[in-house]
Amino acid sequence: MKKEIIGVIPPIITPIDEHEKVDEQGLRRLINHCISHGIHGIFSCGSNGECMSLTQRQRDEAIRITLDECAGRVPVIAGCMDSSTARVIENIKRFEDMGGKTAVVTPVFYARHATQDETVRHFEEISRHTGADLMIYNIPAFTGQNLTADTIIRLSKIDKVIGVKDTSGNFPAFIKLLNHFKGTDFLVHQGATNLAAPSMLMGADGYIPSLAPLFPKAHIKLYEYGKAGDIENTMKWGAILDELCKLYPMAKSQTASTKYAISTLGFVDRRVCQPTEPITPEEMRRIDEHIEKNRQYM
């Protein structure tokens, strides 16, 4: 198969109104902003999209709107992760009913993990009961299980598993994956933006940065120079991304930082789902100053 889900694919925020319902018009405007600025794909309802804070109906609504607004212009991947295999299967079936093609799946969470084998069984069962392509999402800080490179290689052999988003921050393991899958159709995406520059130079298919909707120029430049093997310019733009990412800890919650920062585009509100710590006026002031200082990268 030809690789289609490549490039800069941000896990976009899910804008909400005062009742925590999905802001449909805001989400549509944000998606069009991303596409018009050259973003290569959209990751709906990822961690940055507050996937597990939304109700099931709200999650489905956000995914439906995203699929409808993208309308095939760019690929859409969607977070279908959940706390059991049966729940994930239900999520993916609803996603398929909306016309979705690629579901993002983590190991289950809340449960206390015993072995890597349980995640292999998790994906095997999902594959048997759904028709969507599956992308592995390795994010141990949220799931409590760090998938090893060897486990990801085992998962890649399961029918319908087409790639991985690795947010473990374990660069040697990521390099092992790149070497193993070099020359194949299996997708390898970097989920940690601070590792995007070396990952692109080493052959990653793309990376998944939450600030790309705000600073599309910088993120796309890094991707393009990295794919071209231009070390000097890739490292230059990597340093710029490191500077831009100083925005994250400017509020107590990274979700609140990101949502507020993207709200300054004028499309969406800064609201976060309860009980996430809301942003304060002082935190907003710091973020405003940071954005203004880096406006040339938008």
Side-chain angles (χ1 to χ4, degrees):
M1 82 175 200
K2 178 183 176 183
K3 290 186 180 183
E4 296 180 350
I5 306 170
I6 59 174
V8 178
I9 304 176
I12 60 170
I13 63 168
T14 304
I16 55 173
D17 64 17
E18 64 273 21
H19 304 295
E20 292 198 8
K21 293 183 178 179
V22 177
D23 172 11
E24 178 169 351
Q25 293 309 310
L27 180 53
R28 289 183 184 275
R29 287 193 292 267
L30 178 58
I31 289 166
N32 280 309
H33 168 81
C34 289
I35 295 173
S36 68
H37 283 78
I39 295 295
H40 304 103
I42 300 292
F43 180 11
S44 176
C45 288
S47 306
N48 190 58
E50 297 174 282
C51 174
M52 300 313 300
S53 297
L54 301 170
T55 66
Q56 188 63 61
R57 179 178 296 179
Q58 290 162 347
R59 190 204 300 203
D60 290 346
E61 181 72 355
I63 294 171
R64 181 194 65 77
I65 293 165
T66 302
L67 288 166
D68 181 67
E69 194 61 36
C70 287
R73 291 180 291 168
V74 297
V76 173
I77 61 177
C80 295
M81 47 276 200
D82 220 310
S83 53
S84 74
T85 303
R87 292 171 70 97
V88 172
I89 290 170
E90 285 188 358
N91 292 344
I92 295 175
K93 286 182 176 179
R94 284 194 297 272
F95 175 54
E96 290 180 277
D97 287 345
M98 299 177 213
K101 295 180 180 179
T102 304
V104 180
V105 179
T106 65
V108 299
F109 35 82
Y110 190 77
R112 294 182 178 179
H113 292 281
T115 67
Q116 301 271 305
D117 290 340
E118 67 185 16
T119 297
V120 175
R121 289 195 300 274
H122 180 54
F123 275 83
E124 288 173 339
E125 190 72 4
I126 293 165
S127 176
R128 280 194 288 269
H129 289 90
T130 62
D133 290 335
L134 306 175
M135 182 170 285
I136 307 158
Y137 187 1
N138 187 27
I139 184 165
F142 288 8
T143 65
Q145 183 180 65
N146 184 17
L147 297 175
T148 67
D150 288 340
T151 297
I152 292 169
I153 291 167
R154 287 175 65 194
L155 292 171
S156 73
K157 298 173 183 176
I158 298 171
D159 185 38
K160 306 184 186 77
V161 176
I162 66 165
V164 61
K165 176 196 174 186
D166 183 31
T167 313
S168 68
N170 184 336
F171 196 60
F174 190 78
I175 294 298
K176 182 173 181 177
L177 294 175
L178 289 177
N179 289 334
H180 180 84
F181 292 112
K182 185 176 181 179
T184 75
D185 289 330
F186 191 83
L187 297 160
V188 182
H189 281 271
Q190 179 56 257
T193 304
N194 64 313
L195 296 176
S199 297
M200 291 310 309
L201 288 169
M202 294 297 289
D205 292 298
Y207 65 110
I208 302 183
S210 56
L211 284 178
L214 183 61
F215 296 109
K217 177 182 176 180
H219 290 83
I220 292 170
K221 286 285 188 184
L222 186 147
Y223 169 75
E224 291 175 343
Y225 282 122
K227 288 299 284 185
D230 185 331
I231 296 173
E232 182 178 354
N233 278 306
T234 302
M235 299 312 291
K236 168 191 167 182
W237 286 97
I240 290 168
L241 258 61
D242 287 344
E243 179 64 24
L244 298 179
C245 288
K246 290 179 180 177
L247 183 152
Y248 289 132
M250 289 184 176
K252 288 181 284 294
S253 161
Q254 181 172 318
T255 301
S257 293
T258 306
K259 267 199 152 175
Y260 173 72
I262 291 174
S263 79
T264 64
L265 291 169
F267 307 132
V268 299
D269 194 86
R270 64 177 182 265
R271 291 186 190 90
V272 290
C273 294
Q274 293 285 355
T276 303
E277 190 72 29
I279 196 164
T280 68
E282 175 59 24
E283 290 165 346
M284 286 188 275
R285 183 190 64 77
R286 288 200 296 268
I287 290 173
D288 287 342
E289 290 175 354
H290 187 71
I291 292 171
E292 188 58 36
K293 185 174 70 171
N294 293 286
R295 190 162 293 277
Q296 68 269 34
Y297 305 124
M298 297 177 75

